[in-house]
Amino acid sequence: MTTDSRGVSRFHSISFRRRMSRLIALVLLIVFSIVFAIPFLWMILTSLKSLEEVYQRTVLPQSLHFENYLLALTQIPFLRYTWNTIVITVLCVLGTVVSSSMVAYSMSKVKWRGKKYLFPIIVGTMMIPYQVTLIPLYMIWNKLGLIGTIAPLVVPAFFGGPYYIFLLRQFFKTIPDSLLEAATIDGAGELRVFLQIMIPLCKPALASVAIFTFLGTWSDFMGPMLYLNSQDSYTLSIGLQAFLQQHYVQWGILMAASAIFTIPIIILFFFAQKYFIEGITVTGMKA
Amino acid sequence: MAQKKPPVRGKKRNSHTAAGILFALPWIIGFLAFSLYPIVMSVYYSLTDFNMFQAPKFVGLENYTALFQDEKFYKSLWNTMYMTVLGTPLSLLVGLLMALLLNQKVRGMPFFRTLFYLPSVVPLVASSMLWLWILNPQYGLLNQMLQKLGLYQPNWLTDPDFTKPALLIMGVWGVGGIMIIFLAALQDVPRSLYEAAEIDGAGTLKKFVHITLPGISPVIFFQLIMGVINNFQYFTQAYLMIGSSTGGGLNVVSGGAENSLLFYALYLYQNAFNLFKMGKASAMAWILFLIVALVTFVIFKTQDRWVSYGDD
């Protein structure tokens, strides 16, 4: 690679052209950055303005009203909502990682014929719009008397998500069979091979699955809106939406609340950037 | 990746099958309980008059024929087509453009990548709230800027001609996920192809058309299909925007200004959970399934013409 590019850079016009195109790219990137950053800045700036100042069409706050954050935390039962969201999210992440990795193992490394028939069905279920099963599922939970509990939101996670099974299978397939066979010869059963070889080798993929489940559950709106009906059980998503409907004019507090809701995700992103990007790349590129 | 199959004796094969089933068991149970049974029930409900409180009453295809005479049904289809036909190419184009810029080996690439990606992980409730404020007709940032530039300031939230464009703008802000996928695809295109083309004197445009586009065409294809499927199910953003500005209860769905935001999934939800017309809503779900399947099939049919899978 290096020798190639050194060879090409002898052509002066090409290296000049390349430098020019990089400069243009940089300028465009800066323009895009400003456009993409402005909404975030606006969120922060508004969150620091007083109730009246929000309506005075100023850009910068005259004085910093950090109390908006305090008001958001006290006027909205933030702790309650955060705790509810954490419980649901942790259970969903746990359920999805355990069940999806088991199924993905069966679909990639266990030598049985059934996987040839099951895997296309797993992929096929991804094509069915969720609206098709929405009503019958609601009826099931209704019959079981579980509407208003977190069961409808977390129980399905323990039965494997097609998307994540697919993602993990792609990763599992890259582990050489010889590694697993060596263990089998030593007398290890499938469960031990799975737990002691497969899982440790595929930690990055499992991390991606955990992160995407976390993101999806943390931000989910429709599920909690359908199934949770008392304010005590609200998650952050529906709790904030309910607050917005009652306090449509208090934009300072609303923006502070949005910022508090978003910050955990941004922190997570900075710690686990690599898994975010790997996970998206694997599921987004391979049909 | 060639798989050599060692001769497996009966007993061993049985134990493999047992392990295979056991490991797949969570999905098998989940499939039966949360997919297959609901699918069957959904077909049945779609043929009944069902309000959730009384037993379903069989009515044959009445729900389907009634839908074809329902003006709101067509309105919701039109709104959904609008978002699909404009929203999908728009996010693919912007995502690709940003990925191309990031792929230019400029300094500070990780910074730009992070900034462009972050909006797509902001919870929808938070980002919708933020955009409601930015798009506020009187005090919003966007109209303030348009005013300074001396341009027309639309009523983004209440003018039926501008509510859908407002959602498109919101969508572009969240284009980061698509951008990352395109960036990874661009980095997979072999450098040697570009170098060979440069020696032959090919310009930037020629390289883009003859190397870059064919190289990433499978990813464009996959993203196009995913985008279309997602846009046909467009729900949460519109729901949040309408619910917030009209101030109904948390569960109540309206269609926004002159039903301009009554998307297919919203109308379906409204029928099911506000009007308790479960039969009609189930029929709508199956029509949606057929439309999505048909459109996906048509896109698949075109792939031979423009998608190149290289040599693997």
Side-chain angles (χ1 to χ4, degrees):
Chain A
M1 279 290 238
T2 41
T3 49
D4 276 12
S5 54
R6 228 181 278 150
V8 171
S9 68
R10 258 185 244 136
F11 295 85
H12 264 264
S13 63
I14 288 172
S15 107
F16 173 73
R17 241 197 267 164
R18 215 178 250 172
R19 239 182 277 162
M20 272 309 287
S21 76
R22 267 183 216 176
L23 186 69
I24 295 168
L26 189 65
V27 171
L28 284 173
L29 280 172
I30 290 168
V31 172
F32 268 105
S33 300
I34 294 168
V35 174
F36 270 68
I38 281 177
F40 281 122
L41 286 175
W42 194 238
M43 181 195 272
I44 302 299
L45 289 174
T46 308
S47 77
L48 296 171
K49 286 179 185 173
S50 69
L51 182 57
E52 301 77 42
E53 206 192 337
V54 159
Y55 293 102
Q56 284 162 7
R57 294 175 153 243
T58 52
V59 174
L60 293 172
Q62 281 144 8
S63 57
L64 301 178
H65 290 262
F66 284 106
E67 73 268 17
N68 282 338
Y69 285 82
L70 205 65
L71 284 170
L73 287 170
T74 47
Q75 285 193 15
I76 309 172
F78 236 99
L79 271 175
R80 179 87 242 160
Y81 294 166
T82 309
W83 172 248
N84 293 337
T85 313
I86 289 174
V87 169
I88 293 173
T89 306
V90 167
L91 286 171
C92 280
V93 169
L94 191 78
T96 305
V97 170
V98 171
S99 59
S100 301
S101 60
M102 282 174 64
V103 180
Y105 182 69
S106 169
M107 292 302 123
S108 55
K109 289 300 177 185
V110 182
K111 293 194 184 85
W112 69 302
R113 278 197 249 161
K115 65 179 169 193
K116 264 194 304 196
Y117 307 104
L118 284 190
F119 190 65
I121 304 179
I122 296 180
V123 176
T125 56
M126 289 198 272
M127 303 298 284
I128 299 172
Y130 71 88
Q131 284 88 352
V132 167
T133 52
L134 182 72
I135 293 166
L137 281 175
Y138 190 86
M139 294 311 298
I140 294 175
W141 296 114
N142 191 31
K143 256 181 215 153
L144 295 172
L146 292 172
I147 305 280
T149 71
I150 62 168
L153 303 173
V154 298
V155 170
F158 286 82
F159 296 93
Y163 217 64
Y164 301 120
I165 296 172
F166 178 74
L167 184 151
L168 289 172
R169 175 183 172 268
Q170 304 297 97
F171 264 89
F172 287 2
K173 282 186 89 169
T174 62
I175 306 290
D177 280 343
S178 55
L179 264 178
L180 308 183
E181 272 156 19
T184 326
I185 289 164
D186 289 345
E190 293 281 8
L191 188 63
R192 266 185 59 198
V193 175
F194 173 66
L195 289 176
Q196 294 183 349
I197 299 177
M198 222 46 196
I199 295 297
L201 283 175
C202 294
K203 269 187 197 151
L206 295 171
S208 293
V209 170
I211 284 170
F212 283 105
T213 313
F214 173 90
L215 275 185
T217 322
W218 183 264
S219 316
D220 184 28
F221 180 78
M222 194 177 190
M225 176 193 59
L226 261 181
Y227 289 112
L228 302 177
N229 45 26
S230 79
Q231 216 182 331
D232 284 343
S233 61
Y234 276 6
T235 60
L236 282 168
S237 269
I238 52 174
L240 284 195
Q241 181 67 14
F243 184 79
L244 169 65
Q245 291 184 344
Q246 291 153 17
H247 304 263
Y248 192 60
V249 290
Q250 302 184 6
W251 285 106
I253 299 176
L254 285 168
M255 287 300 105
S258 302
I260 301 171
F261 188 21
T262 309
I263 284 164
I265 291 205
I266 293 186
I267 293 174
L268 178 76
F269 178 78
F270 277 102
F271 280 104
Q273 231 185 105
K274 194 182 133 212
Y275 303 120
F276 269 81
I277 288 166
E278 267 174 21
I280 310 175
T281 313
V282 169
T283 43
M285 284 174 65
K286 285 162 191 163
Chain B
M1 271 288 161
Q3 279 188 349
K4 276 183 218 156
K5 281 186 188 158
V8 188
R9 293 212 188 92
K11 231 182 196 175
K12 204 154 183 207
R13 180 182 274 174
N14 281 341
S15 83
H16 281 316
T17 307
I21 292 174
L22 276 177
F23 275 98
L25 206 56
W27 179 79
I28 295 172
I29 297 171
F31 173 70
L32 296 176
F34 301 125
S35 293
L36 192 61
Y37 171 75
I39 287 171
V40 173
M41 287 312 284
S42 175
V43 176
Y44 169 65
Y45 288 153
S46 79
L47 302 172
T48 64
D49 182 5
F50 181 36
N51 64 7
M52 223 175 103
F53 308 108
Q54 286 150 332
K57 202 176 82 198
F58 189 81
V59 294
L61 292 174
E62 212 171 88
N63 286 321
Y64 293 90
T65 48
L67 276 172
F68 290 116
Q69 281 149 20
D70 180 353
E71 249 174 67
K72 274 177 129 182
F73 171 77
Y74 289 108
K75 180 83 189 170
S76 74
L77 258 182
W78 160 250
N79 288 335
T80 307
M81 290 301 287
Y82 184 108
M83 284 310 279
T84 309
V85 170
L86 292 180
T88 315
L90 183 66
S91 39
L92 286 186
L93 277 175
V94 176
L96 180 58
L97 175 62
M98 285 171 25
L100 283 169
L101 291 174
L102 285 180
N103 199 34
Q104 296 299 309
K105 312 242 162 8
V106 289
R107 263 195 226 162
M109 195 276 255
F111 167 79
F112 292 120
R113 190 179 63 183
T114 304
L115 179 60
F116 296 160
Y117 177 65
L118 273 184
S120 69
V121 292
V122 172
L124 276 182
V125 169
S127 63
S128 299
M129 214 180 267
L130 169 61
W131 279 98
L132 271 175
W133 177 227
I134 292 176
L135 296 167
N136 185 299
Q138 279 167 288
Y139 306 104
L141 180 66
L142 185 56
N143 277 3
Q144 280 189 48
M145 285 158 84
L146 290 175
Q147 191 189 29
K148 290 222 172 84
L149 295 170
L151 294 170
Y152 177 65
Q153 303 131 47
N155 266 321
W156 296 101
L157 306 176
T158 47
D159 183 340
D161 288 336
F162 285 95
T163 46
K164 285 189 284 285
L167 287 175
L168 290 175
I169 295 175
M170 274 172 69
V172 167
W173 194 55
V175 86
I178 294 173
M179 176 203 74
I180 298 271
I181 293 164
F182 278 139
L183 181 60
L186 288 171
Q187 287 170 347
D188 269 2
V189 180
R191 280 205 59 123
S192 54
L193 289 179
Y194 291 110
E195 279 152 10
E198 274 164 21
I199 290 168
D200 291 345
T204 312
L205 187 67
K206 257 199 172 154
K207 280 190 286 179
F208 179 71
V209 172
H210 294 290
I211 300 172
T212 311
L213 275 185
I216 62 169
S217 59
V219 177
I220 299 179
F221 173 70
F222 186 55
Q223 288 307 309
L224 178 67
I225 288 188
M226 296 309 290
V228 166
I229 290 177
N230 287 336
N231 272 317
F232 266 112
Q233 302 179 33
Y234 198 88
F235 179 84
T236 309
Q237 293 93 320
Y239 172 93
L240 290 169
M241 199 172 210
I242 301 164
S244 312
S245 46
T246 55
L250 199 57
N251 290 309
V252 183
V253 173
S254 78
E258 290 176 29
N259 282 328
S260 61
L261 293 181
L262 187 72
F263 294 103
Y264 196 92
L266 252 88
Y267 189 43
L268 192 156
Y269 179 94
Q270 193 180 53
N271 274 305
F273 296 103
N274 292 161
L275 306 169
F276 301 108
K277 293 179 181 172
M278 298 291 184
K280 184 178 173 185
S282 298
M284 280 189 75
W286 283 105
I287 295 174
L288 177 66
F289 171 74
L290 288 179
I291 295 174
V292 170
L294 184 74
V295 172
T296 315
F297 176 76
V298 169
I299 300 175
F300 257 97
K301 276 281 156 195
T302 66
Q303 75 167 323
D304 290 344
R305 289 197 208 151
W306 62 278
V307 183
S308 76
Y309 282 99
D311 31 32
D312 51 67

